[in-house]
Amino acid sequence: MIISATFLDEITHDIPSQNWGRTEWSREFKLMRAAGIDTVVQIRVGHRRWMSFDSKVLKKEQNCHQPPVDLVAMFLELAGENNMAYYFGTYDSGQHWHEGRADREIAINKPLVEEVWEHYGKYPAFKGWYLSHEVSRNVNGIVDILATMGGHCKKISNNLPVLISPYIAGKKEVSAFESQISREEGVSLNEHEAEWDKILSGIKGQVDQIAFQDGHVDFHELPAFLELNRRLAERHGLQSWSNTETFDRDMPIKFLPIAWPKLLLKLQAARAAGIEKVITFEFPHFLSPHSCYPQAHGLFERYCEHFGIRAQV
Amino acid sequence: MIISATFLDEITHDIPSQNWGRTEWSREFKLMRAAGIDTVVQIRVGHRRWMSFDSKVLKKEQNCHQPPVDLVAMFLELAGENNMAYYFGTYDSGQHWHEGRADREIAINKPLVEEVWEHYGKYPAFKGWYLSHEVSRNVNGIVDILATMGGHCKKISNNLPVLISPYIAGKKEVSAFESQISREEGVSLNEHEAEWDKILSGIKGQVDQIAFQDGHVDFHELPAFLELNRRLAERHGLQSWSNTETFDRDMPIKFLPIAWPKLLLKLQAARAAGIEKVITFEFPHFLSPHSCYPQAHGLFERYCEHFGIRAQV
Amino acid sequence: MIISATFLDEITHDIPSQNWGRTEWSREFKLMRAAGIDTVVQIRVGHRRWMSFDSKVLKKEQNCHQPPVDLVAMFLELAGENNMAYYFGTYDSGQHWHEGRADREIAINKPLVEEVWEHYGKYPAFKGWYLSHEVSRNVNGIVDILATMGGHCKKISNNLPVLISPYIAGKKEVSAFESQISREEGVSLNEHEAEWDKILSGIKGQVDQIAFQDGHVDFHELPAFLELNRRLAERHGLQSWSNTETFDRDMPIKFLPIAWPKLLLKLQAARAAGIEKVITFEFPHFLSPHSCYPQAHGLFERYCEHFGIRAQV
């Protein structure tokens, strides 16, 4: 069970930028394709006042800063050149929906995805949508956001698939801006099932793929949660992916590449649970031989050795 | 508006050392000069018990540890070889002035700068003084420290220019040793103006250049603060520089190189505000192609591309 | 006084893995040997649910995860090839002994070291034991654990030496998972002496070598503590080593390589105190020219320059 999809963490939220230009990204897409990645998901087109293309909607609605390059176009072109699918990640204000205004989050994103589809829908690599609003619980109007935006994205794009990547309210659900790495109590399997049954019922038909993040529970708890997540997805007609995180949540430095034994264990657990596809957060920072973190170079070596992947770096 | 000056963060306070020797520093000075840097500012000659040359004063007054090399001499020689100006940064006890004893801070630094001028004043690259005591408010006897030390430095050195680099008490004024990256309330423009009017009145004629750090306010707040800082400087007869930080204050890892779009935005804001010169904290760690942080290599590439700088690495 | 021993931080606890395979480790052992390292100490065979060889005992007692490679065998082979001594580090549950069940910690480790001796005792490089339970005070049943396990290890292995590496309850005894780097009060020399007199009396004859970690007190306090630690060791018939840490405890990023002036100061202090041997935590991450942290490459250069070490990288 190899990793066949990756997020691209632009605009970054808690992972420092590698400051790559087109040359570095072009090299990276080739390498990713050779290593078995067929799908890239731009995690969010914008966050707070930052945006990754010159969006009229985001300038008007959120006073976003002018970006120096059009990352959406670049990612679409490189995906096309390398025969990969590109998913577009929606805008996350980092604010409105946390303050009870899910409607405002939707009111910005609806015209935004229309603007995006009008400008970029013609690119052959544009193969799906990613709803960037991440939750672990039925809070912040998340059902409204996901159902409305999922439905709208599908409607304007002739039904392209829609992906979400929520997390589990496990023991390791701790802010990246806290020094601690875990808390006393995590969600139980029963609570998680009840909560997500409700959410997934509410977004049925508007979302196609669900990739729960796999890093918020302890490693020995993961098999049961993966199995439950697969059943939840099946029950509600979704494809079950796993977001196999390639960064290490157990260390004081937040975040560096994960230890290989941990990654292997998680991939084996995903396979055992019958997960359909593995996406990672994320290849360029944490699994790439070109990463700014040399620990990732080692991780890539171990990963390729284990799975017999031959990718010319 | 390119970066034409940089701090050299020795003795480091919260940025881990790169452990460079003369070979690495020699290469770095050449590169910096080629990239447009004409001024290097050693941020502080000593901090607590650490010092960067074998100072009789600091051994006697502060029991400082014997340093393995004379960084002051090395920086002066390399600056001279590369036709750059060197500014000497004073000693920060990290203690006395925080505990109400600004007079003790002055009593150490006065004979120290005399010792320094006697030993190093003959170097042609010795072109200025940097007063290393950083504040955002009129506290800790800062007016006394800056006025007395500025005046004393000028007097003994035939009026060499004196630089300071305070910060803004903005939302991002958070200790590097807290996990959080921001706080609820930052200083208002009015409060900042009133406070700094008072401080700058008190140090008039004793300080020549002021480079406010630009990282403690949000990016959309920066233009107004830069404009105000320029006006404050003009009002009190100071040259207005900006300390355009090249590290990222928005990430859990404190600190790695900044994302290029953020740096570009800040440089454009400095230019728009009529700032006279841009210094950065600091080239070797955060903007250099030789940095221990590969994100800096990318930042240097983007920076050079944008400004058409051709510097052989 | 050069560093002639190093820990190998596998399984890692708060230092992210470099994800090295046999090729990288083989290169590293050669380099370490050339740089004067004659002893490698695997810090712990397992921690919580992670283990570094396929141990029947740890699977049965602690449900440990299956490891992808046998690190114990690999380290023993590489130590043998390079004529180095290997010390085996015991298992740390990270739990039982912190919760008042030192007996459980012992009950797991006794059959574990028997399993290990049976499987690996034949390797000529197997030259000692390291008891991985680290304390600064007489707490958590530490005397029982160290005396019982030390005695047991010696008994089954024909009296191979046993090493421990406690720390000092100094000002810098702060969890790696707190953002702060120091606290108000550290232990006094008198308290430290009284506490460790008691502990060392209790483990007399069962432990042979003691390497106090040198990073928890301020640098100017270190000479007195090193001197006291040497006397404590002598008084109880132990060899006195120093665990000269090569990472920096004074920075917000926990942890990167230490600044060279700090390392030099600590090595000079160890020599002045009459310490018999210096081990470091740890060469591969913090002092190696192959480290994922380029600050370590500089540190290695400075270290080799100073001591006239010529090791081909």
Side-chain angles (χ1 to χ4, degrees), chain B residues 14 17 19 21 177-178 254, chain C residues 179-180 252-253 258 260 295 302:
Chain B
D14 50 16
S17 175
N19 286 312
F177 299 94
E178 295 291 340
K254 296 186 174 184
Chain C
S179 58
Q180 297 301 310
I253 302 182
I258 201 169
W260 162 240
Q295 298 94 332
R302 304 291 80 74

Side-chain angles (χ1 to χ4, degrees), chain A residues 179-181 219-220 250-253 256-262 264-265 294-295 298-299 301-302, chain C residues 12-21 24 49-50 65 68 176-179 253-255 292-293:
Chain A
S179 58
Q180 298 300 309
I181 57 169
F219 293 90
H220 65 277
D250 305 329
M251 299 290 153
I253 302 182
L256 294 183
I258 200 168
W260 162 239
K262 294 179 179 175
L264 178 59
L265 184 149
Q295 299 95 332
L299 187 59
E301 289 294 322
R302 304 291 80 72
Chain C
T12 75
H13 167 56
D14 49 17
I15 308 295
S17 176
Q18 305 204 75
N19 287 312
W20 285 355
E24 291 89 349
R49 299 220 185 201
W50 300 101
H65 307 302
F177 299 95
E178 295 291 340
S179 58
I253 302 182
K254 295 186 173 183
F255 298 102
C292 58
Y293 303 122

Side-chain angles (χ1 to χ4, degrees), chain C residues 32-227:
Chain C
M32 290 194 295
R33 194 69 189 92
I37 304 285
D38 58 30
T39 304
V40 295
V41 178
Q42 185 180 353
I43 199 160
R44 56 186 83 83
V45 67
H47 183 236
R48 298 178 177 272
R49 299 220 185 201
W50 300 101
M51 60 183 175
S52 58
F53 82 101
D54 185 6
S55 163
K56 278 176 202 159
V57 171
L58 290 178
K59 273 196 289 199
K60 176 164 165 282
E61 298 293 336
Q62 293 287 94
N63 289 307
C64 282
H65 307 302
Q66 184 73 24
V69 292
D70 183 337
L71 281 178
V72 177
M74 188 182 77
F75 288 154
L76 278 163
E77 288 160 20
L78 294 174
E81 288 172 19
N82 291 283
N83 198 26
M84 296 157 95
Y86 167 93
Y87 280 50
F88 173 90
T90 52
Y91 172 78
D92 179 353
S93 75
Q95 181 185 8
H96 306 311
W97 65 300
H98 299 306
E99 297 170 355
R101 299 191 305 279
D103 57 336
R104 177 89 184 100
E105 205 75 14
I106 294 168
I108 297 163
N109 268 296
K110 270 179 127 177
L112 172 65
V113 296
E114 290 165 16
E115 182 187 16
V116 164
W117 187 248
E118 194 185 316
H119 280 66
Y120 302 106
K122 62 178 182 292
Y123 282 89
F126 201 128
K127 296 290 194 195
W129 303 93
Y130 172 65
L131 305 182
S132 65
H133 297 83
E134 300 174 11
V135 294
S136 64
R137 299 275 195 175
N138 191 358
V139 292
N140 296 339
I142 192 66
V143 169
D144 265 4
I145 294 175
L146 298 183
T148 309
M149 287 310 306
H152 195 67
C153 288
K154 294 177 79 68
K155 194 183 72 183
I156 64 172
S157 66
N158 197 23
N159 209 32
L160 283 185
V162 172
L163 169 71
I164 59 172
S165 186
Y167 50 103
I168 300 163
K171 277 183 211 152
K172 299 195 202 172
E173 187 195 339
V174 177
S175 162
F177 299 95
E178 295 291 340
S179 58
Q180 297 301 310
I181 57 169
S182 65
R183 50 184 190 159
E184 279 302 304
E185 286 296 321
V187 73
S188 70
L189 287 160
N190 283 344
E191 291 168 308
H192 181 72
E193 182 165 13
E195 196 100 352
W196 279 95
D197 250 336
K198 222 175 286 173
I199 297 173
L200 296 184
S201 299
I203 65 175
K204 202 158 203 156
Q206 316 305 319
V207 171
D208 304 274
Q209 297 149 342
I210 182 165
F212 274 99
Q213 301 169 32
D214 76 346
H216 297 84
V217 297
D218 209 342
F219 294 88
H220 66 276
E221 302 172 309
L222 187 58
F225 274 99
L226 282 167
E227 162 73 19

Side-chain angles (χ1 to χ4, degrees), chain A residues 142-206:
Chain A
I142 192 65
V143 170
D144 265 3
I145 295 175
L146 299 183
T148 308
M149 287 311 305
H152 195 68
C153 287
K154 294 175 79 67
K155 194 183 73 182
I156 63 171
S157 66
N158 197 22
N159 210 32
L160 283 185
V162 172
L163 169 72
I164 59 173
S165 185
Y167 51 103
I168 300 163
K171 277 182 210 152
K172 299 195 202 171
E173 187 195 338
V174 177
S175 161
F177 299 94
E178 295 291 340
S179 58
Q180 298 300 309
I181 57 169
S182 64
R183 50 182 191 162
E184 280 302 304
E185 287 296 323
V187 74
S188 70
L189 287 160
N190 283 344
E191 291 169 306
H192 181 72
E193 182 166 11
E195 196 99 351
W196 280 94
D197 250 338
K198 220 174 287 173
I199 298 172
L200 297 185
S201 298
I203 64 174
K204 205 160 201 154
Q206 316 306 317

